[in-house]
Structure formats: C-alpha cells, structure tokens
Amino acid sequence: MSLDERAPAVARTVSPPVPARRRSPGPAEAVVVIAPLSLTIALGLWGIRRQNTLWGDESVTYQLAHRDLSQIWHTAQHVDLVHALYYAVMHEIFGLFGQGLLTLRLPSVLAMSVAASGVGLLALRLAGPRAGLLAGLVFPLLPQVQKYAQEGRSYAMVCALVTWATYALVVSVPHRARWRWAVYGSTMLLACLLHEFAVLALVAHGVTLVVSRVPRPVLRAWSVAAAGVVAGLLPLAICSAGQSEQVSWIGGPVRLRYFLVVAVVGVACARAPLRVRGPVRLSVLAVPILVLPGLLLLITSLVKPLFVDRYVLYSNIGIALLLGAWMDCFHRRQQSPRIAWIAAVAVLAALVPPSLSLRTPQSRSNDATAIGAAVRKEGRPGDGLLYLSGQQRILTGANPEDTRFLTDLALAQDPVSSNTLAGVELPARDIAARMLEFDRIVAVRAVGVHSSSNPQEEAKTSTLRRHFREYGTTHVNGARVTVYVRDHDPSAKAGPRPDSSGAGGGVMR
C-alpha cells in the first residue's frame, strides 16, 4: 500500500515525475489503528457506570444472560429470538469475568473500539493516511457511537462486524481471492445473526459495487457471498417474524432527526473533491451505508413502524468516513492551517454538552435502577405489588432484593420457569380477587410507553379505581411508582404525605 500523497493527475505539472521512494505502510497503519482504538476506549470508560444505573433493555440483557444456555434457547422460542445469540455470548462472558456493570458494558466498549480501527483502515485504503486517521478519530466522537459504546446490548458488536465486513469487501475487490469473499460473507452473517437488520448493510454493499462498475467476476463473487448470508439468516427471519409484537411499542420513527441531519451532512461532504485511491471511491462506499439502511427502514415503516436509530447504528461508519475524507480535503486545499484548527476546536466544543449528557441516567428513556429503588423505598413488608402493564416486570427483575418483601399480585409463573421475559399472569378474575386481599398496593406504571389492553390490565385498573385511592406517587425516569390504600387502612387517615424527594430524583406528591 503506497503512503505517498500524490496530487490528482490534473494537477501534475512536472513530466516525467520523479519516482517517489515508497515507505513502509506499517507505521501509518499502526497509527490509524491504535489512535482511534485508544480514543474509543478512553471515551467508553469515561462515566461507563452512569451512576450505577441500568435502563430497561440492559436489565433484560442482564437477566437473560444469567440464565442457563438451555433456558435462553427456550425463552427465545417465545420472545427476543433476534437477540438470542447475543444473550448466549453475554452468558459466557459473565461466566468468565463475573457479574456487574463493567462486565455488562465492557464488551460494547471493546467492540466499538475495534469498529473505530476498522473505520480508520477503510479511510486509509480509500483516501490516504490522513483521511484514515481523521475518520478513525471522528467515529468515536459521534454522539450515537458514544451512547451505544456504553450499553449492554448487541448494537456495538453488530457495528464492529459490519465495519470489518466492509473492509473485507474493499480488500476483496482487487484481489478476488475466494477466501477473502468467504471472510466477508462469514463476518456479515455473524452480524446478521446478532441483529437481523444488519442485512441492510448487505444492500448498501451491493449498490456500492454496482455504482463502482466492478468487473463481473467480482460482482458474481459478491452475489454468491450475499446469497450465503441471506440463506443463513432466513431461518432466523422467518421464526422471529412470529414475534413481531415485540416491536409494537414503535409508534413511529424513533430519533429520526439524528439520522436525517447526519445523512444531509454526509451527502454534502461527498460532493467535495475527495481523494480517490483504488477501484472503489470512498464516497461511493460511504453514502450508501450511511443512507440506505435507514431509508429502507423508513420505507418499511409506511407499512409497519420499524425505524429505531440504534437498529442501523452501523450507518455511522459512512458519516465518519465522509467527515474524515472531507477534513483531509479541506486541509489540502486550505492555504492557512489555522482555519482548519479553528474548525476542529469548534466541532469538539459542540460535542462536549452531548458527551456529558450521555453519561447521566437521564440520557436513557428509563432508569430501571431508580424504579427498583423507589419500589423498595415505598413498599412495606407484606404489601401487594402490581405492574401496569405486566411487561414492566422486567424493570425490577435485575435486582430481586427490591421486591423481596412484596407480593406480586398478578404473577402466576415467574419469568425463569415460564421461559419468558416478564412471566405469566393470572386470569383477570383472580387478579382482582387477590388485590382485594391487600390494604396497600405498590403499583409500577411506565410512562411514555404504549400499554397493552387486555382483560388482566383492565381488571387491575378497574379494581384500583373502585376500591383504592392514591396515597403517594414517586416519579422516576421512565415510570411512576404509586402507593394505593384501601379506605379502611388506618395509615390513610393521616392524610397525604408531604412532598419529598423520591428515589432517583423523583418528587412525591
């Protein structure tokens, strides 16, 4: 790989050119790998505990990964099949390195670090060493990348696999060796098995090859690899289609603004005269992977809402490549480097507020730790416990101590023995009868989430309305924890409690 930064052919004025001595590519590649990796690890470790809090999806990871592999498999037959492989991986990681928040989140930090190195090498190969270093350093600074580098979910791993599959694709185009295409196909298939929407990156890769007008043998080799990925993913896609109720909470595009802004910025950067090295141009690779996966999800959402920004987290590969190459182009064309430095400092200053915000519990849609603490604080030994709806039982499942002395009034079979996420609830009539046996009930109600309507939920709400009255409510991020009392409860005669701080910064009223 040549490291000399040659000017475009139109700018060459000396003929014949003096042959430049080729330098070893080793040092430049080492810098492009190590610098982004180190920055990503540093940002990932910064505030990784988020004040020792979990949010709902991470709580699910924690609970399921602590089940036996056979239990994970049986649970996946009912729910969350798309994440079954990730839960199995995390089960093994917990077994090797122990429990805790660091064990939950460090795999994502490391995966995103590997992705950052891959982004740098991609840009180096397509646009030169400076573009590679800049792209690799831009990638971990992106707010969405910072966010999911610190989450115990599969998205960072998927992003890393798609990044390196993309690198394998670029390397395979000129060499055409079968083993390279086998590596590409295997890496893409693993990414898809971790989260099936990674298959949308496969579409972006195909568009890149078609627009690049690669030779037919290359296109044929990619088609074989892509067919293998689709065939390997098909059983998972068919089985998981029967669990589509899991995404019924998506009422419309989730955090669409970030995707639109980044897509517009990326397309604008692609219009600059970026450096070209090799048969695949950087912009022809980066724009499809930036735009197409999200666009395809948006089009699908016209039929069934499916767009969630984290499902296409790997699209950030595209914007990092384009921004790195654009800054390289800007540096080459700018006579005064001072302007480039000023622009870089301004961008870094703009990233400080979101970077600080992402490391707070409020940066997530709920705070399962605060919800569990509020239940523990407000409940008395022997009180009844009610979840509105029953699916919210996952919010307190990571720490059983929070609900140890309370009686779950609706639960017929616990989540582990029933191979479900939230357990199996009693019939509506039995739930109402059990509620009337208690004078105090602690109710957990999620906010900002569409609640399912079924006989059990109707029985809960109607019984509370007819026979109980609200005594106090603690507001925490993503939920309300309310204490209900019967009219004949002696403690209710004292009147409402005074306002005070609730768990997780909530307010009693």
Side-chain angles (χ1 to χ4, degrees):
M1 185 185 304
S2 176
L3 292 179
D4 54 328
E5 298 185 7
R6 299 186 178 89
V10 294
R12 294 175 183 165
T13 57
V14 179
S15 179
V18 178
R21 188 176 62 160
R22 290 176 178 266
R23 293 178 294 168
S24 170
E29 288 188 343
V31 172
V32 169
V33 169
I34 294 174
L37 184 143
S38 301
L39 177 60
T40 310
I41 290 178
L43 290 173
L45 294 178
W46 170 35
I48 188 172
R49 289 185 176 276
R50 287 201 307 276
Q51 301 176 26
N52 294 320
T53 60
L54 284 171
W55 82 287
D57 281 11
E58 288 184 304
S59 178
V60 172
T61 298
Y62 190 85
Q63 294 171 58
L64 285 185
H66 279 80
R67 299 183 187 181
D68 294 337
L69 290 177
S70 60
Q71 292 175 322
I72 293 174
W73 171 247
H74 289 306
T75 301
Q77 308 306 304
H78 302 98
V79 66
D80 242 8
L81 180 61
V82 292
H83 297 297
L85 177 59
Y86 174 69
Y87 296 144
V89 170
M90 290 305 299
H91 171 85
E92 297 300 327
I93 291 175
F94 278 126
L96 289 172
F97 301 104
Q99 305 177 10
L101 281 177
L102 287 179
T103 307
L104 176 68
R105 291 176 180 154
L106 271 178
S108 293
V109 174
L110 297 177
M112 204 65 87
S113 303
V114 171
S117 297
V119 169
L121 287 177
L122 267 171
L124 181 149
R125 189 174 186 90
L126 298 176
R130 186 189 295 118
L133 180 60
L134 290 170
L137 294 177
V138 163
F139 180 76
L141 294 175
L142 297 172
Q144 199 178 42
V145 172
Q146 290 192 58
K147 179 177 182 179
Y148 293 104
Q150 294 187 328
E151 288 208 351
R153 298 296 282 172
S154 65
Y155 308 111
M157 293 184 184
V158 173
C159 186
L161 288 167
V162 171
T163 302
W164 283 95
T166 306
Y167 184 78
L169 174 77
V170 171
V171 171
S172 299
V173 169
H175 294 290
R176 307 183 191 179
R178 290 185 179 179
W179 70 267
R180 294 181 183 273
W181 288 106
V183 170
Y184 165 76
S186 301
T187 308
M188 273 304 307
L189 177 58
L190 183 56
C192 293
L193 293 177
L194 278 173
H195 196 283
E196 58 191 33
F197 284 160
V199 75
L200 300 175
L202 198 67
V203 179
H205 291 162
V207 171
T208 294
L209 295 181
V210 171
V211 174
S212 299
R213 297 182 179 179
V214 297
R216 286 187 177 181
V218 173
L219 199 58
R220 190 180 304 116
W222 174 83
S223 300
V224 172
V229 173
V230 173
L233 177 63
L234 199 57
L236 174 65
I238 293 174
C239 294
S240 63
Q243 300 177 359
S244 59
E245 277 301 311
Q246 273 193 265
V247 293
S248 60
W249 61 270
I250 307 176
V254 178
R255 287 179 290 274
L256 177 61
R257 182 182 301 176
Y258 179 92
F259 169 74
L260 294 178
V261 170
V262 167
V264 170
V265 171
V267 172
C269 290
R271 296 179 63 84
L274 306 180
R275 193 187 296 272
V276 177
R277 292 166 58 125
V280 178
R281 288 184 295 155
L282 183 142
S283 58
V284 174
L285 175 76
V287 171
I289 203 167
L290 169 63
V291 175
L292 276 181
L295 182 60
L296 290 172
L297 273 188
L298 283 173
I299 293 173
T300 306
S301 295
L302 297 175
V303 179
K304 179 179 179 60
L306 285 176
F307 183 92
V308 180
D309 61 344
R310 60 182 178 267
Y311 292 170
V312 289
L313 176 65
Y314 53 83
S315 64
N316 286 278
I317 300 167
I319 187 61
L321 291 173
L322 290 165
L323 284 174
W326 179 83
M327 287 189 288
D328 173 51
C329 175
F330 183 79
H331 184 274
R332 287 186 287 107
R333 295 168 65 89
Q334 190 61 241
Q335 294 182 351
S336 174
R338 181 180 299 177
I339 298 178
W341 280 107
I342 293 174
V345 170
V347 171
L348 289 175
L351 287 173
V352 169
S355 297
L356 291 172
S357 175
L358 286 170
R359 286 155 179 85
T360 65
Q362 292 73 29
S363 63
R364 271 57 177 182
S365 58
N366 58 50
D367 184 348
T369 305
I371 295 169
V375 171
R376 188 171 189 171
K377 178 181 178 181
E378 300 307 318
R380 301 174 182 174
D383 283 356
L385 177 62
L386 207 61
Y387 294 93
L388 307 168
S389 66
Q391 293 301 316
Q392 308 312 319
R393 194 171 280 106
I394 62 174
L395 296 176
T396 60
N399 186 9
E401 289 297 315
D402 291 332
T403 59
R404 180 181 175 185
F405 299 107
L406 306 180
T407 301
D408 193 330
L409 301 179
L411 189 64
Q413 191 176 7
D414 67 87
V416 176
S417 63
S418 62
N419 293 316
T420 60
L421 293 183
V424 177
E425 296 203 327
L426 294 165
R429 181 179 300 178
D430 295 341
I431 293 175
R434 292 196 71 188
M435 289 174 65
L436 294 176
E437 296 174 3
F438 287 76
D439 291 329
R440 280 174 50 99
I441 293 177
V442 180
V444 179
R445 188 192 308 269
V447 297
V449 178
H450 174 70
S451 298
S452 57
S453 178
N454 56 52
Q456 284 97 331
E457 299 306 322
E458 292 175 3
K460 296 174 190 176
T461 55
S462 64
T463 304
L464 286 175
R465 185 173 58 252
R466 294 176 183 176
H467 303 282
F468 293 81
R469 65 183 180 87
E470 182 179 331
Y471 176 57
T473 297
T474 300
H475 293 266
V476 292
N477 182 21
R480 302 197 309 269
V481 178
T482 303
V483 176
Y484 290 90
V485 295
R486 295 285 293 272
D487 289 337
H488 59 77
D489 183 10
S491 64
K493 296 179 180 179
R497 291 175 293 174
D499 291 347
S500 60
S501 296
V507 177
M508 301 298 298
R509 70 175 185 183

